[in-house]
Amino acid sequence: MDAKDIVREKVTIRFAGDSGDGMQLTGSLFTNTTALEGNDLRTLPEFPAEIRAPAGTVPGVSSFQLNFGSTEIMTPGDNCDVLVAMNAAALKANLGMLKKDGVIIANTSGFDKKNLNLAKYGEENNPLEDGTLSDHQVIEVDITKLTKESLKDSDLGYKEIERSKNMFVLGLLYWMYNRPLDSTIEFLEKKFKNKPDIAEGNIKVLKEGFNYGETTEVFTDKYTVRKAPIAKGEYRSVTGNKATVLGLVSAARQSNLPLFFGSYPITPASDILHELSQLKNFGVMTFQAEDEIAAVSSAIGAAFGGSLGITSSSGPGIALKGEAIGLATMLELPLVILNVQRAGPSTGMPTKNEQADLMQALYGRNGESPIAVIAPGTPSDCFDAAFEACRIALEHMVPVILLSDGYLANGTEPWRFPQQEDLKKITVNFEPVRTGEETDKFLPYKRDERYVRSWAIPGTAGIEHRVGGLEKQDLTGDVSYDPENHQKMTKLRQAKVDAIAEFIPEQKVDSGKETGDALVIGWGSTYGSIRTAVRELIEEGMDISHAHLKYLNPFPKNLGELMEGFEHVLVPEVNNGQLVKLLRDKYFIPAKGINKITGRPFFVDELKQNIHDALSSTNS
Amino acid sequence: MLLKTRIDEHTAKGNGNSGTEEYSGKDFSSDQDVRWCPGCGDYTILKQVQNAMPEIGVDKKDIVFISGIGCAARFPYYMDTFGMHSIHGRAPAIATGLKTTRPELSVWIITGDGDSLSIGANHFVQLLRRNVNVNLLLFNNQIYGLTKGQYSPTAPEGSVSKSTPYGSIDHPFNPLSLSLGADGTFIARAMDRDPRHLQKMLQRTHAHQGASMLEIYQNCIVFNDGAFELFTDKKSRPREAIYLEQDEPLIFGKENDRGIWLDGLTPRIVNLEEDGVSKDDLWIHDEQDKTKAYLLSRFFDQPRAGNDHMPRPFGVLYAEERPTYDDGVNAQMDEVIERKGEGNLDELLRGPETWRVD
Ligand SMILES: Cc1ncc(C[n+]2csc(CCOP(=O)(O)OP(=O)(O)O)c2C)c(N)n1
Ligand code: SF4
Ligand SMILES: [Mg+2]
């Protein structure tokens, strides 16, 4: 009997196994093939919080989720259609993420007594046998055994054979979703160029996985997901952290400045440090400081010297940087601060997601200390946001916080990457040298019409001057405790940040009409879920629109006006209600929050329900 | 750095010269009124630093003073160079960022004992171990001056201060031992009340390639007057202080009649006249000897009456040539650029793998 071929619009697959099972690679390879097949897609890996959690246990499970389709895909998917469980722990950790009547592909060797005990099911309670999975379609395959069988004549050692079993799963899924094997074969040949027997073994197992689907009758269905209508062009896959790195390096190029990056490792921001440290030939200097305070301070020192000074961290580290960010505000030097947010407070849940540092970004310093805040909405948008953060910092002589998060940082999507010639130029003018013949005195805190002072760097004769964290007299920069002057300077620093609104794009509606009944406003990594939810609601006949904020301080000039065009404003956030407070405060509107604080992103269905609920309670 | 940027364009555009060679110390004093208490030791240090500037052969436009917070930290405002009065304890980190990106600058850190040894102690030791090529002047007055008289991490046990009315309990830092422990490459001590020696030490501090740590005993006349009096007072100084000179024997005393003899690893005070020891038998100072430098840094007895305790050493205890952090970072950048060529942004944006959608 041939398997039935069913056409699907969207599919979500979750690969789950022990950290050593190679699920990240399996997921990435399936993703690459899927991209080449012309689907739109999003992915999200989930790593164990512990580095070397014991094999076979629930904390040791690593997973990778891929959502792909023939329509626009904006999220890594809610619950999955297919769960690959390489062992009992992987099933236990991920079963909650599987749709009702979803498919489980279970590696039966991973459900032996030992694995059942390690997963804390207990050896008597095999979920494959005791009926707990009756809501789902379970496909049992002894992947470990079949892999060993397939390689029994090869010279590979036990370990290498054991490691190849992920290729069997991959082959099987390629069969299930009608995907070709060539790009994976090519990858394996390249990766193991110097170890041809490993390449050969992996390819053999991959093919046998595919054939297993073809020849056995375990599977009754296979699926086709057609090409998505994607804009023409050349694409690459990119994570949020990678896109951030590219945005920073591009900004350094477009301003022709050296990039100095001071950082202290922290999840989920560390990859930015790792990636930048490889780019020395782009004029990128990285400094792994002794702590976050030194990291930001070193970046301030570099900025004082005329470099593009950048620092990165996550919430706890940003808290430590607060005093120094205040210093940069006072010095009026350009500084970019990356916060790849994670669930807090305190150490919180380092590997879980949250967007709860917005208030910290805006207000988390002593005194009146306004700075610019900007947030990307998708992994590839991290490129634009990082570039913009640098542009604003450099052109407006102000610290800028970029609020990314773990969901963006590790998520991938296809990206129609730009060419250098498409990028904006960033204008930087250093204060010129003085010969002594000038009639006026050099005034370090003299401003232009945008309230921006000039960047006066050491090494420039005739403009030797002192700056500091003490309040300074307008124009001269001399220390001043004059009451009127302090009020004036406080207002000037605020006016400078407010004036940035003239140099950023106006707020647009992303989906839906420009006016109407309900406007859903989001920021940051909720973009994909909100966009998908709102589009579905529009299709279902609802009068609803979506606008997504990238510029959080200052807000785009027209934001108030835009919101006035709607009866209701709803603000979904993965926090306890932060943007909603800002909007209510600034625009006196009865905006309503929709909040999720589980360490996980919004699901589309749940968000749709929340929007319905919020609107019906408002209307009643 | 091989890669040329806007900074190079800017500084190469005939940014010329402030004509420092023709300057005197006065030309380094800024237009700001100096606001320390009358009689504060900071004044003499300021004067000596200003006097040192024309001597070091660096153009004014290339000199930067960076400080933290404290009385001492006001210092940059009074120097007519580039300067930054930053936040409490962080000057070493700021200086590291500046010096690494702009190695051609002469960067000076001004810090107090609280600034560098309590709130900023981490940055202080990290600067020394990295050996960033900057000059750090540690104004030690054994008190928090700016916050009006609390004991500091260098205050001796039992110090009575605003916050320790019954005497402090905690054991103080020995800044020179700490610096040696952090593998500092230049470790020296001077005092405000001996300007000539201080001047000499400032020149040495500048001349050293690497992180130079000069501790300066500074009298806080208001909150801790006389903390170093036994060393600074002309009468007691010969007994309590010993000046170190390279290749010279360790001799002190009013009549230069006392010396230090190394008995194995134990230093002993000898009377040159009475004990029948000749100068040649004494400990000969060698700045490059780390073990001896450590022993010298342990000459840290509380000055007191009697003759049984070691004098406090002044001068360069230790000086070692070790590659500097800023040189290392820049050399590595150049090496990568030479090997890989200047980065191509379009290639970087493309990444290793792309696909087309038509
Ligand atoms: C973050 C922070 N904490 C505390 C202070 C208050 N404070 C300012 S200076 C100082 C101590 C300064 O002592 P020291 O470094 O010895 O300098 P001195 O005034 O003695 O020259 C303290 C505690 C501050 N400015 N910032
Ligand atoms: S308080 Fe002490 S250290 Fe501060 S200025 Fe006055 S005398 Fe100098
Ligand atoms: Mg002090």
Side-chain angles (χ1 to χ4, degrees):
Chain A
M1 186 191 81
D2 272 355
K4 218 166 45 249
D5 201 338
I6 301 170
V7 176
R8 280 277 161 87
E9 194 175 70
K10 290 181 189 181
V11 176
T12 306
I13 304 178
R14 198 169 173 88
F15 299 88
D18 195 69
S19 303
D21 286 340
M23 289 297 100
Q24 301 300 331
L25 178 65
T26 314
S28 309
L29 289 171
F30 193 96
T31 304
N32 290 351
T33 299
T34 299
L36 288 173
E37 286 298 283
N39 297 126
D40 198 5
L41 60 91
R42 281 300 171 90
T43 74
L44 189 68
E46 247 175 76
F47 309 106
E50 283 83 17
I51 306 299
R52 293 262 183 276
T57 63
V58 171
V61 172
S62 161
S63 55
F64 183 98
Q65 185 158 316
L66 162 68
N67 188 17
F68 64 104
S70 56
T71 56
E72 181 185 87
I73 299 293
M74 294 302 295
T75 76
D78 297 355
N79 287 334
C80 56
D81 301 292
V82 180
L83 172 64
V84 173
M86 297 300 283
N87 63 12
L91 180 77
K92 192 169 202 185
N94 290 286
L95 189 57
M97 316 284 297
L98 181 65
K99 281 184 188 154
K100 202 165 173 279
D101 65 35
V103 176
I104 297 168
I105 299 177
N107 172 25
T108 49
S109 305
F111 288 79
D112 59 11
K113 280 187 184 166
K114 183 173 156 220
N115 274 292
L116 288 168
N117 280 330
L118 284 168
K120 301 217 166 116
Y121 276 116
E123 57 186 62
E124 304 303 323
N125 309 313
N126 188 345
L128 298 180
E129 289 160 6
D130 66 6
T132 34
L133 306 177
S134 57
D135 277 349
H136 308 288
Q137 187 192 338
V138 183
I139 297 170
E140 296 183 23
V141 185
D142 195 339
I143 296 169
T144 310
K145 193 171 137 209
L146 289 164
T147 303
K148 283 182 185 158
E149 192 63 26
S150 155
L151 293 178
K152 67 174 189 293
D153 298 329
S154 81
D155 295 333
L156 295 180
Y158 172 79
K159 245 200 185 143
E160 275 121 15
I161 292 177
E162 175 73 16
R163 279 219 195 104
S164 312
K165 63 181 190 283
N166 58 338
M167 289 300 123
F168 193 93
V169 180
L170 187 59
L172 192 55
L173 284 160
Y174 280 160
W175 173 81
M176 247 176 111
Y177 289 94
N178 285 309
R179 317 258 102 163
L181 308 183
D182 9 326
S183 81
T184 300
I185 291 175
E186 208 175 291
F187 167 88
L188 291 168
E189 280 168 349
K190 219 164 134 198
K191 177 163 182 203
F192 297 111
K193 205 166 59 204
N194 301 322
K195 295 175 184 160
D197 43 340
I198 296 192
E200 214 172 283
N202 272 297
I203 292 167
K204 180 155 194 275
V205 176
L206 177 77
K207 286 182 175 166
E208 297 212 359
F210 190 94
N211 294 339
Y212 183 82
E214 186 78 32
T215 49
T216 59
E217 299 203 339
V218 186
F219 298 89
T220 51
D221 303 328
K222 59 191 291 194
Y223 306 91
T224 297
V225 179
R226 301 221 166 91
K227 277 187 198 306
I230 302 174
K232 281 187 187 162
E234 194 171 16
Y235 285 78
R236 64 171 288 177
S237 156
V238 78
T239 65
N241 272 349
K242 180 89 192 190
T244 302
V245 165
L246 297 176
L248 301 177
V249 175
S250 297
R253 264 298 153 85
Q254 295 304 89
S255 55
N256 191 19
L257 291 177
L259 190 166
F260 179 91
F261 187 80
S263 189
Y264 187 79
I266 187 169
T267 302
S270 304
D271 278 341
I272 298 177
L273 170 63
H274 307 159
E275 296 265 351
L276 281 171
S277 64
Q278 295 182 23
L279 301 179
K280 298 195 195 313
N281 57 332
F282 286 83
V284 175
M285 207 175 255
T286 53
F287 173 58
Q288 181 175 317
E290 54 271 26
D291 60 23
E292 283 85 351
I293 301 173
V296 61
S297 299
S298 65
I300 291 172
F304 184 59
S307 291
L308 169 55
I310 305 176
T311 187
S312 72
S313 192
S314 190
I318 302 294
L320 288 174
K321 293 179 200 283
E323 187 193 13
I325 298 172
L327 174 68
T329 308
M330 203 63 163
L331 299 177
E332 304 193 43
L333 283 174
L335 176 70
V336 175
I337 305 113
L338 311 173
N339 179 358
V340 187
Q341 300 165 94
R342 64 191 215 182
S346 184
T347 311
M349 300 194 287
T351 55
K352 300 292 172 199
N353 196 52
E354 208 163 86
Q355 44 176 192
D357 298 346
L358 177 59
M359 289 301 190
Q360 181 196 43
L362 276 152
Y363 301 121
R365 291 164 299 284
N366 60 307
E368 297 290 347
S369 151
I371 64 178
V373 181
I374 180 166
T378 70
S380 70
D381 191 35
C382 289
F383 176 84
D384 293 316
F387 188 91
E388 273 293 89
C390 297
R391 181 187 70 83
I392 292 172
L394 293 168
E395 293 187 347
H396 296 267
M397 295 289 283
V398 70
V400 181
I401 289 195
L402 177 111
L403 288 175
S404 172
D405 62 33
Y407 184 57
L408 294 173
N410 295 320
T412 63
E413 66 176 337
W415 179 40
R416 198 155 56 126
F417 54 92
Q419 307 274 302
Q420 185 175 0
E421 60 185 30
D422 307 333
L423 302 174
K424 286 186 202 163
K425 276 265 172 250
I426 297 177
T427 320
V428 172
N429 292 312
F430 293 132
E431 179 70 23
V433 80
R434 293 194 150 226
T435 55
E437 263 127 59
E438 298 79 5
T439 48
D440 58 334
K441 203 174 154 232
F442 167 60
L443 296 168
Y445 282 81
K446 195 172 148 186
R447 295 159 199 279
D448 66 11
E449 65 292 346
R450 304 165 304 149
Y451 309 104
V452 177
R453 81 178 187 99
S454 80
W455 200 353
I457 65 170
T460 316
I463 60 164
E464 293 82 358
H465 69 288
R466 275 65 55 195
V467 296
L470 287 172
E471 182 59 286
K472 44 189 63 59
Q473 195 178 56
D474 189 19
L475 304 172
T476 64
D478 294 342
V479 175
S480 165
Y481 293 128
D482 176 58
E484 302 304 325
N485 178 73
H486 178 51
Q487 174 139 347
K488 182 172 186 192
M489 292 300 280
T490 305
K491 296 283 189 193
L492 277 170
R493 286 187 287 265
Q494 181 68 53
K496 181 180 71 170
V497 172
D498 293 344
I500 295 169
E502 300 294 333
F503 302 88
I504 59 174
E506 291 207 344
Q507 185 60 44
K508 289 206 181 68
V509 168
D510 186 75
S511 303
K513 295 179 300 179
E514 306 284 316
T515 57
D517 183 51
L519 175 67
V520 183
I521 297 190
W523 67 279
S525 67
T526 52
Y527 177 68
S529 327
I530 300 180
R531 177 175 160 106
T532 311
V534 168
R535 292 198 158 197
E536 289 184 18
L537 290 169
I538 292 171
E539 225 154 81
E540 290 161 21
M542 207 162 163
D543 180 5
I544 192 164
S545 301
H546 170 210
H548 213 75
L549 291 175
K550 179 185 254 175
Y551 299 91
L552 292 152
N553 198 40
F555 286 130
K557 279 191 298 197
N558 65 328
L559 181 61
E561 203 185 313
L562 180 77
M563 289 190 296
E564 272 171 27
F566 293 86
E567 285 296 306
H568 306 289
V569 173
L570 302 179
V571 188
E573 294 177 84
V574 182
N575 61 35
N576 205 20
Q578 301 197 5
L579 175 64
V580 69
K581 290 198 185 77
L582 298 173
L583 294 177
R584 284 186 201 139
D585 173 50
K586 177 146 193 209
Y587 301 103
F588 303 106
I589 54 158
K592 214 167 164 178
I594 294 175
N595 304 97
K596 179 170 183 183
I597 324 148
T598 61
R600 312 214 67 225
F602 276 114
F603 289 167
V604 172
D605 285 341
E606 138 193 274
L607 194 52
K608 283 166 72 179
Q609 189 57 48
N610 289 338
I611 290 171
H612 273 300
D613 294 348
L615 287 175
S616 61
S617 69
T618 316
N619 287 335
S620 59
Chain B
M1 192 167 61
L2 280 175
L3 213 136
K4 293 291 168 250
T5 66
R6 194 179 292 275
I7 297 178
D8 303 284
E9 274 166 33
H10 175 78
T11 46
K13 240 189 326 205
N15 274 350
N17 199 299
S18 317
T20 311
E21 312 87 73
E22 298 129 45
Y23 280 19
S24 71
K26 277 207 305 292
D27 296 303
F28 281 89
S29 106
S30 76
D31 59 356
Q32 300 297 297
D33 296 333
V34 183
R35 298 268 201 82
W36 289 308
C37 307
C40 172
D42 289 346
Y43 282 95
T44 50
I45 306 175
L46 175 64
K47 179 135 190 283
Q48 289 316 311
V49 173
Q50 287 171 339
N51 287 342
M53 289 297 112
E55 305 291 316
I56 63 174
V58 178
D59 203 83
K60 201 179 193 177
K61 71 175 198 312
D62 294 323
I63 301 173
V64 186
F65 279 81
I66 300 179
S67 63
I69 297 289
C71 293
R74 294 296 179 93
F75 198 96
Y77 288 122
Y78 310 136
M79 293 295 300
D80 191 24
T81 62
F82 284 92
M84 186 196 294
H85 175 227
S86 74
I87 45 177
H88 204 13
R90 317 304 171 195
I94 294 172
T96 300
L98 179 62
K99 181 68 184 178
T100 317
T101 48
R102 299 287 308 277
E104 74 279 16
L105 299 174
S106 173
V107 178
W108 297 71
I109 295 168
I110 305 292
T111 179
D113 43 323
D115 195 58
S116 61
L117 296 178
S118 41
I119 193 165
N122 189 13
H123 312 308
F124 175 82
V125 291
Q126 309 279 350
L127 180 93
L128 297 181
R129 74 160 171 104
R130 287 193 185 106
N131 200 29
V132 185
N133 190 7
V134 296
N135 308 309
L136 182 145
L137 309 184
L138 167 52
F139 292 33
N140 184 1
N141 54 13
Q142 298 187 340
I143 197 89
Y144 288 179
L146 192 73
T147 46
K148 301 198 168 73
Q150 302 83 6
Y151 79 121
S152 89
T154 54
E157 269 167 54
S159 292
V160 172
S161 76
K162 276 230 183 88
S163 55
T164 49
Y166 299 106
S168 64
I169 307 290
D170 39 337
H171 186 72
F173 265 133
N174 172 335
L176 300 193
S177 292
L178 178 70
S179 303
L180 272 168
D183 275 352
T185 58
F186 179 92
I187 292 158
R189 186 189 282 134
M191 59 175 109
D192 54 2
R193 295 281 170 84
D194 188 348
R196 284 223 339 251
H197 180 255
L198 173 58
Q199 183 59 236
K200 226 163 78 185
M201 288 301 105
L202 289 168
Q203 298 298 335
R204 289 283 318 262
T205 297
H206 168 77
H208 176 72
Q209 297 297 305
S212 312
M213 206 297 283
L214 176 62
E215 180 188 26
I216 306 170
Y217 284 168
Q218 173 245 325
N219 192 42
C220 169
I221 195 167
V222 175
F223 297 111
N224 203 16
D225 193 22
F228 305 110
E229 198 168 5
L230 283 173
F231 309 124
T232 58
D233 182 82
K234 292 233 164 66
K235 274 205 228 78
S236 52
R237 185 188 293 167
R239 166 65 196 84
E240 296 296 343
I242 182 165
Y243 285 92
L244 306 170
E245 292 283 351
Q246 177 68 0
D247 298 329
E248 296 292 328
L250 265 60
I251 294 182
F252 65 110
K254 217 180 233 126
E255 313 293 335
N256 280 334
D257 51 347
R258 318 189 72 202
I260 295 173
W261 171 63
L262 253 188
D263 178 6
L265 279 180
T266 312
R268 300 196 191 282
I269 296 174
V270 291
N271 284 313
L272 289 173
E273 311 279 276
E274 298 157 28
D275 299 347
V277 181
S278 94
K279 283 185 181 172
D280 299 339
D281 301 329
L282 294 177
W283 171 339
I284 306 295
H285 183 49
D286 177 5
E287 294 168 0
Q288 270 126 47
D289 189 325
K290 198 165 192 173
T291 309
K292 284 184 176 165
Y294 184 70
L295 294 178
L296 281 172
S297 80
R298 300 315 296 175
F299 288 18
F300 204 58
D301 304 327
Q302 279 313 308
R304 58 182 182 263
N307 282 335
D308 59 334
H309 62 278
M310 289 293 165
R312 193 73 57 94
F314 292 82
V316 179
L317 275 78
Y318 186 62
E320 168 202 340
E321 292 294 324
R322 192 172 86 213
T324 69
Y325 179 76
D326 35 305
D327 277 350
V329 169
N330 283 281
Q332 193 179 55
M333 303 243 332
D334 286 350
E335 191 192 304
V336 175
I337 293 169
E338 267 176 359
R339 190 150 43 84
K340 294 189 170 174
E342 196 180 317
N344 177 319
L345 187 60
D346 277 322
E347 271 172 29
L348 185 70
L349 292 172
R350 281 178 67 87
E353 224 181 331
T354 67
W355 69 92
R356 292 202 68 87
V357 174
D358 298 308

